Amino acid sequence: MARRLRFNGTGSGVNGCPAVHEDLDTGEVIVHGPPVTDPQDIAQLRHLGEGEIPIVVPRELLVDFGPKDVDRVPSLIGLDEFDGLFTRFEHTAWRLETRRRYASDEATETYAQFTRGESVDWDGVDSAWCAERRQQTSLGKRFERVRIIDTPATRGQLYLLDNARRNTAVGEDIRNLTRDEADRLRLPDADFWIFDSRLVALLHFDGGDDLVDVELITEPAAVLRYAQARDAAMHYAVRYEHFAARPAGE
């Protein structure tokens, strides 16, 4: 049975060698690079077994992309501190939304309008959130999201598909993927934001689908994995207005 391998990273910007991969099931690390071939060099190697091939990798490759301490203590922040991230970032804020419902949405008047079958007047929503988004995008900052939609979509997902009209009006780029496509791409089954491609904010929800706290991730190799998921999602995701216009089940 073939391994399930994850590409952690490479020290090369062009040819992809050397590189580090990780087995998702066993945790084993696979490194490839140029082989050591000089007999005098090989003679100095200890415990080189039959069939083993010594390779050369830069030290920084292992520092940047080798697995770190698995007992890393999470860096958790509260929701007020999390809100501050949306004005402190410099260039880009990107989110993957994977959940089937968000309790905070269901507490809004717009959600009540939507569930009653009424046309939601998103243009009439003039909240502090909208004002902040407009201010930040006016500074040249980008907000982008990819939302995962089940087949059939849940009520909460249909609400967010309609809600995208408001988000785009204040400057966000909203796109969608089906759950099947997200699974094919092996996207993380987690909600998170990436700020400036250097900081990941992993969102933690309780059993009632309420956001309770946020875990900050800054380890380069870990941030890169989330960034790779972002790139895959953005490549295949469909802008919300085109996604909403597709026939059901497509």
Side-chain angles (χ1 to χ4, degrees), residues 147-196:
R147 288 170 167 161
I148 306 304
I149 305 292
D150 287 278
T151 307
T154 67
R155 178 178 294 182
Q157 291 168 347
L158 291 173
Y159 169 77
L160 288 175
L161 198 58
D162 193 72
N163 163 272
R165 292 189 286 126
R166 179 198 69 167
N167 286 38
T168 55
V170 297
E172 288 198 359
D173 181 347
I174 309 294
R175 307 186 187 197
N176 291 90
L177 271 178
T178 64
R179 181 80 61 184
D180 287 345
E181 187 75 348
D183 290 342
R184 185 186 70 80
L185 296 171
R186 296 183 179 178
L187 298 184
D189 185 21
D191 271 46
F192 61 90
W193 282 92
I194 304 177
F195 296 95
D196 294 331

Side-chain angles (χ1 to χ4, degrees), residues 33 210 223 234:
D210 281 300
V223 172
M234 288 296 285

Side-chain angles (χ1 to χ4, degrees), residues 75-88 214 216:
S75 174
L76 299 178
I77 61 173
L79 301 187
D80 289 342
E81 187 175 353
F82 172 57
D83 286 342
L85 296 177
F86 292 92
T87 56
R88 291 201 299 271
V214 177
L216 298 184

Side-chain angles (χ1 to χ4, degrees), residues 22 60-72 219-222 225:
E22 192 170 347
E60 60 267 26
L61 178 71
L62 299 181
V63 172
D64 288 342
F65 303 112
K68 304 299 189 295
D69 187 356
V70 295
D71 295 324
R72 179 177 60 88
E219 179 189 348
R225 290 195 290 271

Side-chain angles (χ1 to χ4, degrees), residues 32-222:
H32 65 80
V36 178
T37 57
D38 189 303
Q40 295 184 13
D41 293 339
I42 294 176
Q44 300 178 60
L45 301 177
R46 299 185 181 185
H47 308 293
L48 184 64
E50 183 177 354
E52 294 180 343
I53 302 173
I55 62 174
V56 178
V57 296
R59 178 181 296 271
E60 60 267 26
L61 178 71
L62 299 181
V63 172
D64 288 342
F65 303 112
K68 304 299 189 295
D69 187 356
V70 295
D71 295 324
R72 179 177 60 88
V73 178
S75 174
L76 299 178
I77 61 173
L79 301 187
D80 289 342
E81 187 175 353
F82 172 57
D83 286 342
L85 296 177
F86 292 92
T87 56
R88 291 201 299 271
F89 79 98
E90 296 182 6
H91 307 294
T92 60
W94 185 91
R95 182 176 179 180
L96 180 68
E97 294 184 7
T98 64
R99 300 181 67 82
R100 291 170 173 84
R101 70 181 286 264
Y102 297 89
S104 59
D105 289 339
E106 298 175 10
T108 64
E109 175 58 27
T110 52
Y111 189 87
Q113 294 172 6
F114 181 80
T115 56
R116 292 195 296 264
E118 301 173 5
S119 178
V120 180
D121 180 18
W122 295 109
D123 292 337
V125 177
D126 188 17
S127 65
W129 183 92
C130 292
E132 180 182 281
R133 281 294 193 272
R134 290 191 182 97
Q135 179 186 37
Q136 295 300 308
T137 55
S138 71
L139 297 174
K141 300 181 183 182
R142 296 205 321 269
F143 292 88
E144 301 169 330
R145 301 180 194 237
V146 170
R147 288 170 167 161
I148 306 304
I149 305 292
D150 287 278
T151 307
T154 67
R155 178 178 294 182
Q157 291 168 347
L158 291 173
Y159 169 77
L160 288 175
L161 198 58
D162 193 72
N163 163 272
R165 292 189 286 126
R166 179 198 69 167
N167 286 38
T168 55
V170 297
E172 288 198 359
D173 181 347
I174 309 294
R175 307 186 187 197
N176 291 90
L177 271 178
T178 64
R179 181 80 61 184
D180 287 345
E181 187 75 348
D183 290 342
R184 185 186 70 80
L185 296 171
R186 296 183 179 178
L187 298 184
D189 185 21
D191 271 46
F192 61 90
W193 282 92
I194 304 177
F195 296 95
D196 294 331
S197 297
R198 65 174 185 82
L199 171 67
V200 173
L202 183 63
L203 310 187
H204 293 168
F205 294 83
D206 63 16
D209 296 306
D210 281 300
L211 177 63
V212 291
D213 58 37
V214 177
E215 179 180 352
L216 298 184
I217 300 173
T218 57
E219 179 189 348

